[in-house]
């Protein structure tokens, strides 16, 4: 299976930003993860390798270096919970427990219904509005358990 | 606190501050126009920057004008050259560049254009950490708007100055905030820092001359060009000129990102700006500028914030991201979190760092969870001394060692007590979960 035409067209524009087209690899990995199921499958690795003229293992070596790229399937909604210092000082532990309880997922795990993956993450740069979670790429800050309920409850099934 | 003038966050309070219309309304792009039409030569701009005594805001505090002057003379070295803007803000506690990018992205674009003009770069790449989606989108929208208005691209404002500004997204690795790791990452590789020399000004992005500057540093450029380097040099202390963005987090009543002049004391920031330590408690200890600075004791809040004064307390200004710990905070538990972070983020190239960060993390974790072994505190000290200073390709190893050494120096008794009691008297409440590195 090859990359969808839409992404190929996007990447053809993307690589023009750089004197060396390989510079587009990390942004391209992001776009694949966003559009093609929420994770970087072996197929995506092969397709991107073909697109960039690299060996699959080179692409894998890059993808596996960066914490934002997920190399295993994830739930429909991806919940990152900051557990670095500024958040920990203001109740990140309690938020983590609450998120796990609400979603039925354990840290670094996916809920049985496949709806949620919960991922502890390092500092997200929301320190002055701690604690925080990121749900599907959107920051939610100054959290309380009640706010977490509203955020998670408001997600589409 | 004495009254002081502000500029960094002023426009962020305006309605739709991120748009070109609002930016122009507030006088935006006039500095660029001055540079191009007066005209100022690139050397004139660099001279203004030197006069301003602006020091980089990414943590190292290197003089910006001097850094720019390291770029080779284009008559002798005609290679293409680049500006890389470090927006990979990842140092724990640091959340200041995000405010500028989300609320005043045109200020960054204008600064990037002037900087490119000064160092004769044909393009700027803004490397934003992948998690900062809003920052990325706002900056990209600002670039698109500026391009339509003839402010980015070919023949800017009808002059013969042409310059591109590109956004580039990282993917969550702290090490890519190190300038050579950033460049490797921008080239589509793992963010493995490069040995220096060669320095970026000679061998940077794609092997070409490159200058790497922090967002807040570049953001200051249009103001300095408009108002003059001497204006900027007239504010602050002997060591540090101008205003800085202070992100204060942790145990205070009003955490936030505040613009302050160098020379304020930490106590003024905590008590007058951030509303004091929360719950009427006392400050036990604090980090002046992110978790890779040395801890400072709570009784030393009267120190002035600048690049020199903090050295008298054995610490440093870093990114001016203050993290305040109240009297109920446990140093072993704080260090458990911080050392885990550096273990997670080590790129693994240098053995001192790859192994050292792991050992520090394991030892702090067992001390914090009541499983410390006799000799553990001495082991922390000797390990950290083996990791820094300057023993590795980049400073991540130092970043893990420095807070460790300060914790042992200032709070040895507390660490040893946890080992002796086989528990932390301050309850350990964190959920235990297996790490997925």
């Amino acid at each position: 299976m090859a990359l969808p035409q839409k992404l190929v067209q996007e990447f053809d524009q993307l690589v023009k930003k750089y004197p060396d087209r390989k510079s587009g690899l990390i942004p391209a990995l992001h776009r694949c993860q966003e559009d093609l199921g929420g994770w970087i499958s072996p197929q995506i690795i092969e397709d991107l390798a073909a697109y960039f003229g690299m060996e699959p293992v080179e692409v894998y070596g890059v993808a596996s270096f960066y914490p934002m790229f997920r190399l295993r399937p994830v739930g429909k909604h991806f919940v990152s919970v900051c557990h670095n210092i500024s958040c920990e000082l203001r109740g990140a532990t309690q938020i983590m427990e609450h998120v796990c309880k609400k979603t039925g997922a354990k840290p670094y795990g996916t809920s049985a219904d496949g709806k949620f993956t919960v991922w502890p993450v390092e500092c997200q740069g929301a320190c002055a509005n701690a604690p925080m979670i990121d749900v599907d790429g959107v920051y939610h800050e100054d959290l309380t358990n009640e706010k977490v309920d509203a955020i998670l409850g408001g997600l589409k099934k | 606190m004495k009254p002081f003038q502000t500029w960094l966050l002023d426009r962020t309070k305006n309605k739709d501050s991120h748009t070109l219309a609002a930016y122009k309304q507030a006088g935006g792009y006039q500095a660029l126009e001055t540079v191009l039409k007066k005209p100022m030569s690139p050397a004139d701009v660099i001279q203004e920057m030197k006069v301003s005594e602006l020091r980089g805001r990414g943590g190292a505090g290197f003089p910006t004008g001097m850094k720019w002057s390291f770029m080779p003379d284009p008559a002798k070295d005609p290679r293409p050259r680049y500006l890389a803007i470090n927006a990979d803000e990842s140092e724990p506690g640091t959340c200041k560049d995000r405010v500028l990018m989300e609320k005043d992205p045109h200020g960054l674009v204008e600064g990037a254009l002037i900087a490119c003009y000064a160092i004769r770069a044909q393009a700027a790449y803004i490397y934003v950490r992948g998690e900062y989606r809003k920052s990325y989108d706002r900056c990209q929208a600002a670039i698109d708007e500026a391009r339509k208005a003839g402010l980015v691209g070919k023949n800017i404002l009808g002059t013969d100055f042409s310059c591109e500004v590109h956004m580039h997204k990282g993917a969550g690795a702290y090490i890519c905030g190190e300038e050579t790791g950033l460049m490797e990452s921008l080239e589509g590789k793992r963010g493995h820092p490069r040995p220096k020399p060669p320095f970026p000004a000679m061998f940077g992005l794609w092997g070409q001359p490159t200058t790497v500057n922090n967002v807040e540093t570049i953001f200051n450029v249009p103001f300095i060009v408009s108002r003059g380097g001497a204006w900027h040099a007239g504010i602050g202390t002997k060591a540090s000129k101008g205003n800085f963005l202070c992100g204060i987090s942790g145990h205070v009543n009003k955490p936030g990102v505040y613009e302050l002049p160098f020379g304020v004391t930490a106590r003024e920031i905590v008590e007058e700006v951030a509303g004091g330590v929360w719950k009427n408690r006392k400050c036990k200890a604090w980090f002046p500028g992110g978790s890779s600075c040395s801890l400072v004791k709570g009784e030393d809040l009267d120190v002035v914030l600048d690049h020199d004064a903090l050295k008298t307390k054995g610490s440093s200004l870093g990114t001016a991201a203050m993290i305040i710990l109240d009297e109920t905070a446990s140093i072993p538990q704080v260090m458990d979190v911080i050392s885990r972070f550096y273990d997670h983020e080590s790129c693994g190239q240098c053995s001192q760092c790859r192994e050292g960060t792991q050992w520090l993390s394991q030892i702090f974790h067992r001390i914090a969870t009541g499983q410390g072994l006799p000799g553990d505190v001495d082991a922390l000290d000797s390990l950290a001394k083996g990791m820094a200073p300057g023993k590795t390709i980049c400073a991540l190893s130092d970043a893990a060692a420095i807070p460790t050494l300060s914790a042992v120096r200032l709070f040895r008794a507390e660490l040893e007590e946890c080992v002796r009691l086989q528990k932390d008297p301050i309850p350990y409440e964190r959920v235990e979960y297996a790490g997925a590195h």
Side-chain angles (χ1 to χ4, degrees), chain A residues 17-18 23 30 61 65-68 83-84 86 88-90 93 96 108 122-125 127 137 139 141, chain B residues 95 98 125 129 131-132 167-168 170-172 185-186 189-191 206 249-252 340-341 430 433-434:
Chain A
K17 292 206 286 199
Y18 311 100
S23 287
H30 272 298
F65 182 83
Y66 291 93
M68 282 185 81
H83 67 159
N84 207 298
S86 298
E88 280 285 6
L89 293 171
R90 297 183 78 95
T93 293
M96 178 81 81
Y108 303 115
E122 299 299 352
C123 186
Q124 302 283 294
C127 319
Y139 278 27
E141 302 171 75
Chain B
C95 48
R98 187 181 150 208
Y125 290 88
R129 63 176 303 179
E131 296 91 336
Y132 276 10
M167 298 304 296
H168 184 92
S185 179
L186 223 160
K189 305 171 197 162
R190 291 186 289 274
W206 308 289
S249 64
H251 293 157
V252 288
R340 180 203 66 217
F341 169 73
R430 267 197 305 289
Y433 38 78

Side-chain angles (χ1 to χ4, degrees), chain A residues 72-146:
Chain A
R72 288 192 297 273
V74 295
K76 191 166 164 35
H77 299 291
F78 196 88
V79 185
S80 305
V81 184
C82 177
H83 67 159
N84 207 298
I85 191 64
S86 298
C87 282
E88 280 285 6
L89 293 171
R90 297 183 78 95
T93 293
Q94 170 209 319
I95 295 296
M96 178 81 81
E97 283 176 334
H98 194 70
V99 166
C100 289
K101 200 173 97 192
K102 288 297 286 187
T103 59
K106 289 187 175 134
Y108 303 115
T110 300
S111 57
D113 62 3
K115 192 173 168 188
F116 292 103
T117 295
V118 173
W119 212 263
V121 291
E122 299 299 352
C123 186
Q124 302 283 294
C127 319
N129 300 85
M132 71 83 71
I133 61 174
D134 173 314
V135 182
D136 300 330
V138 178
Y139 278 27
H140 300 277
E141 302 171 75
D142 297 309
L143 291 178
T144 58
N145 285 357
E146 293 69 36

Side-chain angles (χ1 to χ4, degrees), chain B residues 241-405:
Chain B
K241 304 299 185 187
N243 284 3
F244 64 102
L245 293 183
C246 171
I248 182 163
S249 64
H251 293 157
V252 288
N253 283 314
K254 290 194 293 177
V257 176
Y258 301 101
E259 176 178 359
L260 296 161
F262 284 111
V264 294
T265 67
R267 188 177 304 284
E268 285 171 321
I269 299 173
V270 171
E271 290 175 5
E272 295 177 39
V273 180
V277 180
W278 73 353
K279 302 177 184 175
N280 288 319
R281 292 178 184 157
K282 289 198 187 74
C283 174
K284 174 176 182 174
W286 53 289
F287 291 99
S291 66
S292 55
C293 293
S294 289
L295 276 163
V296 181
K297 282 209 162 181
E299 63 231 40
D300 285 330
L301 275 175
D302 288 311
V303 64
V304 158
L305 256 68
D306 79 1
H307 290 90
D308 273 0
L310 282 159
K311 290 184 195 158
T312 65
K313 302 295 174 195
S315 193
S316 54
L317 181 71
T319 55
M322 293 174 70
I323 306 168
I324 307 299
L325 313 178
D326 75 17
E327 60 199 282
T328 69
S330 150
I331 297 298
Q333 291 177 40
V334 165
M335 290 308 300
D336 180 21
V337 171
I338 287 172
S339 59
R340 180 203 66 217
F341 169 73
Y342 293 108
D343 177 19
H344 183 259
E345 301 298 338
S346 172
C347 86
Q349 285 189 102
C350 309
S351 43
Q352 293 92 328
C353 179
R354 182 183 59 245
E355 302 299 319
T357 53
Q358 213 174 108
W359 288 336
L360 294 182
S361 173
Q362 286 170 4
I363 295 173
F364 274 123
H365 186 68
R366 66 180 183 237
I367 294 177
T369 53
Q371 302 162 76
L373 303 173
D376 266 356
V377 181
D378 287 330
L380 287 172
D381 198 55
S382 92
L383 273 169
K385 282 174 180 157
M387 293 167 69
K391 292 188 163 71
T392 46
I393 293 173
C394 85
L396 192 146
S397 190
D398 304 59
I402 288 166
T404 301
L405 290 170

